[in-house]
PDB file of all heavy atoms in Angstrom:
ATOM      1  N   ASP A   3      93.041 -61.691  35.608  1.00 69.00           N
ATOM      2  CA  ASP A   3      94.247 -60.984  35.246  1.00 69.00           C
ATOM      3  C   ASP A   3      95.280 -61.177  36.332  1.00 69.00           C
ATOM      4  O   ASP A   3      95.030 -61.153  37.480  1.00 69.00           O
ATOM      5  CB  ASP A   3      94.016 -59.466  35.159  1.00 69.00           C
ATOM      6  CG  ASP A   3      93.006 -59.179  33.968  1.00 69.00           C
ATOM      7  OD1 ASP A   3      93.019 -59.992  33.038  1.00 69.00           O
ATOM      8  OD2 ASP A   3      92.288 -58.138  34.011  1.00 69.00           O
ATOM      9  N   ILE A   4      96.481 -61.387  35.870  1.00 75.00           N
ATOM     10  CA  ILE A   4      97.586 -61.627  36.832  1.00 75.00           C
ATOM     11  C   ILE A   4      98.564 -60.512  36.794  1.00 75.00           C
ATOM     12  O   ILE A   4      98.689 -59.805  35.857  1.00 75.00           O
ATOM     13  CB  ILE A   4      98.316 -62.973  36.513  1.00 75.00           C
ATOM     14  CG1 ILE A   4      98.981 -62.878  35.173  1.00 75.00           C
ATOM     15  CG2 ILE A   4      97.363 -64.181  36.611  1.00 75.00           C
ATOM     16  CD1 ILE A   4      99.863 -64.109  34.868  1.00 75.00           C
ATOM     17  N   LEU A   5      99.271 -60.419  37.906  1.00 78.00           N
ATOM     18  CA  LEU A   5     100.334 -59.418  38.010  1.00 78.00           C
ATOM     19  C   LEU A   5     101.539 -59.809  37.270  1.00 78.00           C
ATOM     20  O   LEU A   5     101.977 -60.985  37.289  1.00 78.00           O
ATOM     21  CB  LEU A   5     100.683 -59.121  39.493  1.00 78.00           C
ATOM     22  CG  LEU A   5      99.560 -58.576  40.342  1.00 78.00           C
ATOM     23  CD1 LEU A   5     100.035 -58.567  41.817  1.00 78.00           C
ATOM     24  CD2 LEU A   5      99.139 -57.161  39.963  1.00 78.00           C
ATOM     25  N   MET A   6     102.218 -58.891  36.680  1.00 84.00           N
ATOM     26  CA  MET A   6     103.506 -59.113  35.929  1.00 84.00           C
ATOM     27  C   MET A   6     103.507 -60.363  35.081  1.00 84.00           C
ATOM     28  O   MET A   6     104.155 -61.370  35.279  1.00 84.00           O
ATOM     29  CB  MET A   6     104.657 -59.201  36.981  1.00 84.00           C
ATOM     30  CG  MET A   6     104.817 -58.014  37.787  1.00 84.00           C
ATOM     31  SD  MET A   6     106.130 -58.145  39.063  1.00 84.00           S
ATOM     32  CE  MET A   6     105.408 -59.452  40.126  1.00 84.00           C
ATOM     33  N   PRO A   7     102.670 -60.403  33.955  1.00 88.00           N
ATOM     34  CA  PRO A   7     102.548 -61.538  33.169  1.00 88.00           C
ATOM     35  C   PRO A   7     103.816 -62.068  32.539  1.00 88.00           C
ATOM     36  O   PRO A   7     104.089 -63.284  32.549  1.00 88.00           O
ATOM     37  CB  PRO A   7     101.513 -61.102  32.045  1.00 88.00           C
ATOM     38  CG  PRO A   7     101.550 -59.593  32.037  1.00 88.00           C
ATOM     39  CD  PRO A   7     101.858 -59.194  33.480  1.00 88.00           C
ATOM     40  N   LYS A   8     104.711 -61.122  32.016  1.00 89.00           N
ATOM     41  CA  LYS A   8     105.930 -61.594  31.516  1.00 89.00           C
ATOM     42  C   LYS A   8     106.905 -62.198  32.536  1.00 89.00           C
ATOM     43  O   LYS A   8     107.549 -63.203  32.234  1.00 89.00           O
ATOM     44  CB  LYS A   8     106.661 -60.477  30.707  1.00 89.00           C
ATOM     45  CG  LYS A   8     105.885 -60.062  29.404  1.00 89.00           C
ATOM     46  CD  LYS A   8     106.820 -59.086  28.660  1.00 89.00           C
ATOM     47  CE  LYS A   8     106.142 -58.755  27.295  1.00 89.00           C
ATOM     48  NZ  LYS A   8     106.944 -57.789  26.519  1.00 89.00           N
ATOM     49  N   ALA A   9     106.937 -61.557  33.719  1.00 89.00           N
ATOM     50  CA  ALA A   9     107.808 -62.104  34.768  1.00 89.00           C
ATOM     51  C   ALA A   9     107.244 -63.445  35.162  1.00 89.00           C
ATOM     52  O   ALA A   9     108.026 -64.358  35.482  1.00 89.00           O
ATOM     53  CB  ALA A   9     107.807 -61.108  35.867  1.00 89.00           C
ATOM     54  N   THR A  10     105.959 -63.624  35.199  1.00 90.00           N
ATOM     55  CA  THR A  10     105.393 -64.948  35.558  1.00 90.00           C
ATOM     56  C   THR A  10     105.720 -65.921  34.519  1.00 90.00           C
ATOM     57  O   THR A  10     106.052 -67.166  34.853  1.00 90.00           O
ATOM     58  CB  THR A  10     103.828 -64.826  35.729  1.00 90.00           C
ATOM     59  OG1 THR A  10     103.547 -63.770  36.755  1.00 90.00           O
ATOM     60  CG2 THR A  10     103.224 -66.116  36.130  1.00 90.00           C
ATOM     61  N   ALA A  11     105.585 -65.519  33.259  1.00 90.00           N
ATOM     62  CA  ALA A  11     105.972 -66.475  32.126  1.00 90.00           C
ATOM     63  C   ALA A  11     107.414 -66.881  32.174  1.00 90.00           C
ATOM     64  O   ALA A  11     107.733 -68.048  31.943  1.00 90.00           O
ATOM     65  CB  ALA A  11     105.610 -65.784  30.830  1.00 90.00           C
ATOM     66  N   VAL A  12     108.256 -66.013  32.559  1.00 91.00           N
ATOM     67  CA  VAL A  12     109.716 -66.308  32.698  1.00 91.00           C
ATOM     68  C   VAL A  12     109.885 -67.362  33.774  1.00 91.00           C
ATOM     69  O   VAL A  12     110.613 -68.387  33.613  1.00 91.00           O
ATOM     70  CB  VAL A  12     110.526 -65.056  33.046  1.00 91.00           C
ATOM     71  CG1 VAL A  12     111.928 -65.436  33.444  1.00 91.00           C
ATOM     72  CG2 VAL A  12     110.556 -64.068  31.865  1.00 91.00           C
ATOM     73  N   TRP A  13     109.253 -67.253  34.884  1.00 92.00           N
ATOM     74  CA  TRP A  13     109.339 -68.167  35.994  1.00 92.00           C
ATOM     75  C   TRP A  13     108.779 -69.575  35.545  1.00 92.00           C
ATOM     76  O   TRP A  13     109.409 -70.602  35.870  1.00 92.00           O
ATOM     77  CB  TRP A  13     108.575 -67.714  37.206  1.00 92.00           C
ATOM     78  CG  TRP A  13     108.828 -68.569  38.462  1.00 92.00           C
ATOM     79  CD1 TRP A  13     109.778 -68.318  39.374  1.00 92.00           C
ATOM     80  CD2 TRP A  13     108.099 -69.724  38.852  1.00 92.00           C
ATOM     81  NE1 TRP A  13     109.726 -69.368  40.340  1.00 92.00           N
ATOM     82  CE2 TRP A  13     108.583 -70.175  40.033  1.00 92.00           C
ATOM     83  CE3 TRP A  13     107.023 -70.425  38.274  1.00 92.00           C
ATOM     84  CZ2 TRP A  13     108.160 -71.303  40.697  1.00 92.00           C
ATOM     85  CZ3 TRP A  13     106.590 -71.508  38.953  1.00 92.00           C
ATOM     86  CH2 TRP A  13     107.073 -71.974  40.104  1.00 92.00           C
ATOM     87  N   LEU A  14     107.642 -69.572  34.868  1.00 92.00           N
ATOM     88  CA  LEU A  14     106.999 -70.810  34.466  1.00 92.00           C
ATOM     89  C   LEU A  14     107.905 -71.509  33.388  1.00 92.00           C
ATOM     90  O   LEU A  14     107.979 -72.801  33.424  1.00 92.00           O
ATOM     91  CB  LEU A  14     105.638 -70.587  33.869  1.00 92.00           C
ATOM     92  CG  LEU A  14     104.654 -70.116  34.905  1.00 92.00           C
ATOM     93  CD1 LEU A  14     103.274 -69.785  34.186  1.00 92.00           C
ATOM     94  CD2 LEU A  14     104.305 -71.212  35.939  1.00 92.00           C
ATOM     95  N   ILE A  25     101.359 -71.776  29.169  1.00 91.00           N
ATOM     96  CA  ILE A  25     101.926 -70.605  29.787  1.00 91.00           C
ATOM     97  C   ILE A  25     101.337 -69.377  29.174  1.00 91.00           C
ATOM     98  O   ILE A  25     100.920 -68.394  29.872  1.00 91.00           O
ATOM     99  CB  ILE A  25     103.443 -70.620  29.663  1.00 91.00           C
ATOM    100  CG1 ILE A  25     104.090 -71.839  30.385  1.00 91.00           C
ATOM    101  CG2 ILE A  25     104.020 -69.296  30.178  1.00 91.00           C
ATOM    102  CD1 ILE A  25     105.526 -71.980  30.242  1.00 91.00           C
ATOM    103  N   ALA A  26     101.127 -69.387  27.760  1.00 90.00           N
ATOM    104  CA  ALA A  26     100.617 -68.195  27.126  1.00 90.00           C
ATOM    105  C   ALA A  26      99.157 -68.035  27.529  1.00 90.00           C
ATOM    106  O   ALA A  26      98.744 -66.884  27.795  1.00 90.00           O
ATOM    107  CB  ALA A  26     100.672 -68.482  25.631  1.00 90.00           C
ATOM    108  N   PHE A  28      97.759 -68.861  30.349  1.00 91.00           N
ATOM    109  CA  PHE A  28      97.693 -68.451  31.851  1.00 91.00           C
ATOM    110  C   PHE A  28      98.131 -66.969  32.013  1.00 91.00           C
ATOM    111  O   PHE A  28      97.563 -66.197  32.767  1.00 91.00           O
ATOM    112  CB  PHE A  28      98.521 -69.371  32.665  1.00 91.00           C
ATOM    113  CG  PHE A  28      98.553 -69.033  34.094  1.00 91.00           C
ATOM    114  CD1 PHE A  28      97.505 -69.331  34.874  1.00 91.00           C
ATOM    115  CD2 PHE A  28      99.629 -68.296  34.700  1.00 91.00           C
ATOM    116  CE1 PHE A  28      97.485 -68.974  36.273  1.00 91.00           C
ATOM    117  CE2 PHE A  28      99.686 -68.050  35.995  1.00 91.00           C
ATOM    118  CZ  PHE A  28      98.566 -68.311  36.805  1.00 91.00           C
ATOM    119  N   CYS A  29      99.171 -66.506  31.210  1.00 90.00           N
ATOM    120  CA  CYS A  29      99.716 -65.269  31.362  1.00 90.00           C
ATOM    121  C   CYS A  29      99.119 -64.250  30.419  1.00 90.00           C
ATOM    122  O   CYS A  29      99.478 -63.033  30.568  1.00 90.00           O
ATOM    123  CB  CYS A  29     101.225 -65.315  31.099  1.00 90.00           C
ATOM    124  SG  CYS A  29     102.109 -66.313  32.264  1.00 90.00           S
ATOM    125  N   GLY A  30      98.238 -64.666  29.524  1.00 89.00           N
ATOM    126  CA  GLY A  30      97.656 -63.748  28.588  1.00 89.00           C
ATOM    127  C   GLY A  30      98.565 -63.289  27.521  1.00 89.00           C
ATOM    128  O   GLY A  30      98.501 -62.103  27.043  1.00 89.00           O
ATOM    129  N   LEU A  31      99.553 -64.055  27.087  1.00 89.00           N
ATOM    130  CA  LEU A  31     100.482 -63.757  26.077  1.00 89.00           C
ATOM    131  C   LEU A  31     100.234 -64.604  24.823  1.00 89.00           C
ATOM    132  O   LEU A  31      99.520 -65.581  24.833  1.00 89.00           O
ATOM    133  CB  LEU A  31     101.954 -64.019  26.633  1.00 89.00           C
ATOM    134  CG  LEU A  31     102.346 -63.269  27.876  1.00 89.00           C
ATOM    135  CD1 LEU A  31     103.701 -63.621  28.363  1.00 89.00           C
ATOM    136  CD2 LEU A  31     102.251 -61.725  27.667  1.00 89.00           C
ATOM    137  N   GLU A  35     105.419 -65.391  21.744  1.00 90.00           N
ATOM    138  CA  GLU A  35     106.144 -64.648  22.778  1.00 90.00           C
ATOM    139  C   GLU A  35     106.668 -65.424  23.808  1.00 90.00           C
ATOM    140  O   GLU A  35     107.853 -65.134  24.336  1.00 90.00           O
ATOM    141  CB  GLU A  35     105.110 -63.509  23.329  1.00 90.00           C
ATOM    142  CG  GLU A  35     105.719 -62.434  24.111  1.00 90.00           C
ATOM    143  CD  GLU A  35     104.791 -61.279  24.469  1.00 90.00           C
ATOM    144  OE1 GLU A  35     103.505 -61.462  24.228  1.00 90.00           O
ATOM    145  OE2 GLU A  35     105.241 -60.283  24.982  1.00 90.00           O
ATOM    146  N   VAL A  36     105.979 -66.419  24.280  1.00 90.00           N
ATOM    147  CA  VAL A  36     106.519 -67.371  25.282  1.00 90.00           C
ATOM    148  C   VAL A  36     107.766 -68.105  24.697  1.00 90.00           C
ATOM    149  O   VAL A  36     108.693 -68.394  25.394  1.00 90.00           O
ATOM    150  CB  VAL A  36     105.434 -68.318  25.704  1.00 90.00           C
ATOM    151  CG1 VAL A  36     105.937 -69.351  26.751  1.00 90.00           C
ATOM    152  CG2 VAL A  36     104.230 -67.547  26.347  1.00 90.00           C
ATOM    153  N   ILE A  39     110.640 -65.939  24.973  1.00 88.00           N
ATOM    154  CA  ILE A  39     111.167 -65.972  26.336  1.00 88.00           C
ATOM    155  C   ILE A  39     112.023 -67.213  26.517  1.00 88.00           C
ATOM    156  O   ILE A  39     113.143 -67.079  27.163  1.00 88.00           O
ATOM    157  CB  ILE A  39     110.026 -65.944  27.369  1.00 88.00           C
ATOM    158  CG1 ILE A  39     109.281 -64.547  27.250  1.00 88.00           C
ATOM    159  CG2 ILE A  39     110.551 -66.124  28.787  1.00 88.00           C
ATOM    160  CD1 ILE A  39     108.065 -64.489  28.087  1.00 88.00           C
ATOM    161  N   ALA A  45     112.068 -60.619  27.017  1.00 76.00           N
ATOM    162  CA  ALA A  45     112.173 -60.470  28.472  1.00 76.00           C
ATOM    163  C   ALA A  45     113.474 -60.925  29.032  1.00 76.00           C
ATOM    164  O   ALA A  45     113.492 -61.637  30.015  1.00 76.00           O
ATOM    165  CB  ALA A  45     110.972 -61.194  29.124  1.00 76.00           C
ATOM    166  N   ILE A  48     114.214 -59.432  32.535  1.00 84.00           N
ATOM    167  CA  ILE A  48     113.075 -59.552  33.440  1.00 84.00           C
ATOM    168  C   ILE A  48     113.348 -60.704  34.411  1.00 84.00           C
ATOM    169  O   ILE A  48     113.570 -61.836  33.974  1.00 84.00           O
ATOM    170  CB  ILE A  48     111.788 -59.658  32.777  1.00 84.00           C
ATOM    171  CG1 ILE A  48     111.475 -58.430  31.976  1.00 84.00           C
ATOM    172  CG2 ILE A  48     110.644 -59.934  33.754  1.00 84.00           C
ATOM    173  CD1 ILE A  48     110.131 -58.467  31.155  1.00 84.00           C
ATOM    174  N   GLY A  50     112.082 -63.519  36.974  1.00 86.00           N
ATOM    175  CA  GLY A  50     110.889 -64.383  37.078  1.00 86.00           C
ATOM    176  C   GLY A  50     110.097 -64.111  38.398  1.00 86.00           C
ATOM    177  O   GLY A  50     110.737 -63.854  39.473  1.00 86.00           O
ATOM    178  N   ALA A  51     108.818 -64.096  38.323  1.00 87.00           N
ATOM    179  CA  ALA A  51     107.900 -63.934  39.483  1.00 87.00           C
ATOM    180  C   ALA A  51     107.150 -65.222  39.731  1.00 87.00           C
ATOM    181  O   ALA A  51     106.479 -65.780  38.891  1.00 87.00           O
ATOM    182  CB  ALA A  51     106.907 -62.747  39.244  1.00 87.00           C
ATOM    183  N   GLN A  58      98.845 -66.415  43.158  1.00 85.00           N
ATOM    184  CA  GLN A  58      98.055 -66.406  41.895  1.00 85.00           C
ATOM    185  C   GLN A  58      97.772 -67.752  41.308  1.00 85.00           C
ATOM    186  O   GLN A  58      97.003 -67.983  40.458  1.00 85.00           O
ATOM    187  CB  GLN A  58      98.674 -65.487  40.886  1.00 85.00           C
ATOM    188  CG  GLN A  58      98.804 -63.991  41.229  1.00 85.00           C
ATOM    189  CD  GLN A  58      99.344 -63.176  40.211  1.00 85.00           C
ATOM    190  OE1 GLN A  58      98.704 -62.525  39.442  1.00 85.00           O
ATOM    191  NE2 GLN A  58     100.751 -63.237  40.098  1.00 85.00           N
TER     192      GLN A  58
END
Side-chain angles (χ1 to χ4, degrees):
D3 294 334
I4 63 172
L5 296 172
M6 301 178 293
K8 286 189 178 181
T10 302
V12 169
W13 189 90
L14 292 174
I25 297 175
F28 180 76
C29 298
L31 303 175
E35 194 170 6
V36 178
I39 293 175
I48 295 179
Q58 296 182 100

